């Protein structure tokens, strides 16, 4: 099991190129199931989750070709309408094959995703929405069995805002008979990126980027070419890193118009930024200032940045409070940060952090994707050496993070 060895105290200086967004790439790859035509996707990040998704899609008979960051899909020869437990258990986003398979082929057998470290993460809204579109769904032996000769448009309001729930129902609705209205739809930029691809494939969608999507079903979708949007969470993660270590970095290939909530908080921390169309120059001198926040759905402060900002707060000049409202157990990084000398107390879904002058390196363990990233940040700011174990969590969502950070001065080595 790979580990990372980090010697802290190094400032970061240099350029970092941001990769395509994991949470846009995963649903967009599933859109390949919706058409017999060619999907040519560029800026697809090299991530473990993308590899898993391509494996899952290939076993349905979807033709998959990957060259560098370009992936070409063709769904003319799909013959297996299922997603097996062996693959789904390693990646919850596998649930995103359910809507497309059902919409195009009238049936699907998809393993129920298990829970994960950050919460139970049920898929009841996905199922209720597909039933509203006319699907007959039974759950047996850990599998979702769905069938429907032809989905029929409906008006659906999910009980909470769900990103992949919105994406599953949106993809299904593109081939349903008639009009579908999705109320309480997620507005994350990754949902918008998927919607823009579906429109390029011939789907009829109004309200893109809002909480109310109106879809007129069409008989079939054709192929298209599409560049996956830049990963706003990767970009903000590196900005938190330089806020914690000090330095001067230039991020390239970013989308700066979809990061307002994180950028506002980074300015409060004391990061000086020059924000261009697709670059961010970030300079940090002196001790970070503490920032308090509550996570909420887009365009609010993203839950996927909560752990990384907490890492900066651990060494800030003062106290801060972080409230997590999306997931019920997304503070797994707190105990590990306290091993590094942080002073964090949890009370329900709020963590209170008292900034300390210095963290001190120690062996720690990654528990989930964004927690891993937050431990890398804390370790780079700590005195001495930190070993982070179980960093397969990190590799699921970050494209060679240690390579990108070493290139700008971090002392970080992967131990096989
Ligand atoms: C997506 O997960 C992202 N993953 C997550 O990113 C992200 O943290 C999350 O959205 C919130 O922004 C992908 O896009 C692949 P939700 P998703 O459905 O869709 C509850 C990362 O680090 N809920 O928006 O699974 C759920 O339990 C990952 O990149 C139900 O109760 O999240 C949660 O409390 C982690 N029933 C809340 O809604 C449902 O049917 C929001 O979940 C669906 C969701």
């Amino acid at each position: 099991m790979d580990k990372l060895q980090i010697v802290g105290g190094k400032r970061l200086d240099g350029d970092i190129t941001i990769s395509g967004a994991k949470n846009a790439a995963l649903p967009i790859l599933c859109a390949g199931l919706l058409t017999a035509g060619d999907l040519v996707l560029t800026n697809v990040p090299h991530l473990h989750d993308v590899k898993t998704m391509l494996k899952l899609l290939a076993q349905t008979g979807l033709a998959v070709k990957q060259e560098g960051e370009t992936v070409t899909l063709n769904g003319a020869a799909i013959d297996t309408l299922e997603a097996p437990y062996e693959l789904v258990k390693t990646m919850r986003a596998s649930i995103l094959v359910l809507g497309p398979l059902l919409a195009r082929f009238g049936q699907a057998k998809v393993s129920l995703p298990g829970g994960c470290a950050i919460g139970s993460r049920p898929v009841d809204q996905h199922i209720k929405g597909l039933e509203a579109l006319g699907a007959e769904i039974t759950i047996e032996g850990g599998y979702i069995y769905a069938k429907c000769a032809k989905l029929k448009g409906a008006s659906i309001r999910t009980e909470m805002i769900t990103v992949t729930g919105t994406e599953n129902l949106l993809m299904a609705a593109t081939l349903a008979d008639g009009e579908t209205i999705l109320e309480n739809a997620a507005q994350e930029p990754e949902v918008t990126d998927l919607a823009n691809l579906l429109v390029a494939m011939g789907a009829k969608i109004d309200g893109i980027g809002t909480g109310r999507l109106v879809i007129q079903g069409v008989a079939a979708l054709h192929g298209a070419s599409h560049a996956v949007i830049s990963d706003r969470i990767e970009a903000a993660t590196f900005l938190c890193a330089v806020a914690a270590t000090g330095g001067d970095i230039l991020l390239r290939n970013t989308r700066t118009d979809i990061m307002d909530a994180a950028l506002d908080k980074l300015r409060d921390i004391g990061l000086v930024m020059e924000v261009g169309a697709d670059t961010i120059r970030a300079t940090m001198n002196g001790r970070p200032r503490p920032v308090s926040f509550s996570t909420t759905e887009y365009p609010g402060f993203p839950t996927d940045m909560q752990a990384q900002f907490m890492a900066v707060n651990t060494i800030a000049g003062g106290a801060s409070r972080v409230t997590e409202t999306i997931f019920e157990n997304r503070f797994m990084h707190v105990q590990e940060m306290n091993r590094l000398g942080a002073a964090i107390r949890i009370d329900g879904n709020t963590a209170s952090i008292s900034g300390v002058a210095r963290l001190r390196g120690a062996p720690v363990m990654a528990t989930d994707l964004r927690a891993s990233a937050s431990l890398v940040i804390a370790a780079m700011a700590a005195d001495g050496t930190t070993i982070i174990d179980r960093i397969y969590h990190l590799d699921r969502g970050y494209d060679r993070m240690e390579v990108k950070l070493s290139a700008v001065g971090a002392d970080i080595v992967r131990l096989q």
Side-chain angles (χ1 to χ4, degrees):
M1 207 178 297
D2 285 4
K3 298 179 169 57
L4 283 183
Q5 174 185 288
I6 298 169
V7 178
K10 309 281 186 292
R11 285 171 63 86
L12 301 182
D13 286 280
D15 293 12
I16 300 179
T17 299
I18 300 302
S19 303
K22 166 177 88 80
N23 291 349
L26 294 176
I28 281 172
L29 290 170
C30 294
L33 297 167
L34 288 167
T35 174
D38 277 348
L39 270 197
V40 182
L41 305 169
T42 53
N43 202 33
V44 178
H46 291 283
L47 301 173
H48 195 266
D49 274 6
V50 167
K51 222 157 54 201
T52 304
M53 184 61 89
L54 290 175
K55 213 158 47 177
L56 174 68
L57 292 170
Q59 61 88 42
T60 69
L62 185 77
V64 172
K65 209 165 68 195
Q66 184 173 22
E67 286 143 336
E69 271 131 23
T70 299
V71 169
T72 305
L73 303 174
N74 181 283
I78 291 170
D79 57 10
T80 305
L81 307 178
E82 69 172 78
Y85 176 64
E86 300 69 49
L87 286 168
V88 173
K89 73 181 176 188
T90 65
M91 185 186 60
R92 311 178 32 73
S94 309
I95 191 73
L96 285 166
V97 305
L98 179 59
L101 286 176
L102 188 57
R104 180 152 170 245
F105 301 102
Q107 70 177 72
K109 175 187 172 191
V110 175
S111 167
L112 266 178
C116 79
I118 63 177
S120 60
R121 301 181 70 183
V123 289
D124 55 302
Q125 301 298 308
H126 300 237
I127 290 169
K128 279 188 193 137
L130 292 172
E131 285 173 333
L133 292 171
E136 257 176 72
I137 294 186
T138 54
I139 295 180
E140 216 172 293
Y143 276 85
I144 301 167
Y145 293 85
K147 66 176 192 295
C148 179
K150 181 75 179 159
L151 293 175
K152 200 168 161 337
S155 188
I156 301 167
R157 178 182 184 80
T158 52
E159 282 162 46
M160 80 293 293
I161 293 175
T162 157
V163 172
T164 51
T166 301
E167 291 164 346
N168 234 337
L169 298 175
L170 173 61
M171 287 192 279
T174 59
L175 294 176
D177 255 345
E179 178 177 85
T180 296
I181 298 175
L182 292 184
E183 305 269 16
N184 214 15
Q187 302 176 51
E188 271 65 8
E190 295 75 26
V191 179
T192 296
D193 201 32
L194 169 67
N196 290 335
L197 166 67
L198 293 169
V199 166
M201 294 168 69
K204 293 186 172 25
I205 307 171
D206 286 317
I208 294 176
T210 75
R212 186 175 190 273
L213 297 172
V214 181
I215 305 104
Q216 304 300 335
V218 294
L221 294 179
H222 50 71
S225 296
H226 182 80
V228 172
I229 54 166
S230 176
D231 196 319
R232 62 192 167 106
I233 305 299
E234 184 192 20
T237 300
F238 287 125
L239 293 174
C240 282
V242 72
T245 62
D248 179 355
I249 60 171
L250 178 72
L251 300 187
R252 298 183 183 285
N253 186 32
T254 64
R255 272 284 303 272
T256 57
D257 59 325
I258 54 176
M259 300 173 63
D260 290 355
L263 296 181
D264 289 351
K265 285 295 172 188
L266 284 159
R267 285 190 192 92
D268 294 349
I269 283 174
L271 198 63
V272 174
M273 290 181 280
E274 287 159 43
V275 177
D278 65 352
T279 58
I280 299 178
R281 172 89 184 270
T283 313
M284 183 72 180
N285 290 303
R287 190 174 185 184
R289 289 193 291 265
V291 289
S292 294
F293 55 87
S294 278
T295 64
T296 183
E297 293 88 0
Y298 192 86
F301 189 93
T303 173
D304 291 349
M305 283 309 302
Q306 179 255 105
Q308 298 91 311
F309 274 78
M310 191 185 289
V312 185
N313 273 336
T314 63
I315 53 165
S320 54
R321 288 164 63 83
V322 169
T323 300
E324 171 58 56
T325 72
I326 304 292
F327 290 109
E328 68 266 28
N329 187 31
R330 204 171 195 174
F331 282 149
M332 307 280 277
H333 42 282
V334 167
Q335 296 314 326
E336 300 303 309
M337 285 182 190
N338 285 344
R339 286 178 48 77
L340 297 173
I344 310 170
R345 266 192 355 276
I346 297 177
D347 176 11
N349 68 343
T350 294
S352 300
I353 304 108
S354 312
V356 295
R358 302 293 298 174
L359 297 176
R360 286 178 312 286
V364 291
M365 192 171 75
T367 50
D368 56 273
L369 169 56
R370 306 301 172 183
S372 324
S374 72
L375 293 175
V376 171
I377 293 168
M380 288 196 297
D383 287 337
T385 302
T386 297
I387 304 282
I388 304 178
D389 200 353
R390 301 192 178 180
I391 56 147
Y392 59 86
H393 290 291
L394 188 75
D395 297 333
R396 296 190 48 178
Y398 288 94
D399 185 352
R400 292 158 293 177
M401 181 187 263
E402 79 276 8
V403 173
K404 293 186 178 184
L405 286 170
S406 304
V408 293
D411 182 342
I412 177 169
V413 172
R414 182 178 287 253
L415 307 174
Q416 304 298 353

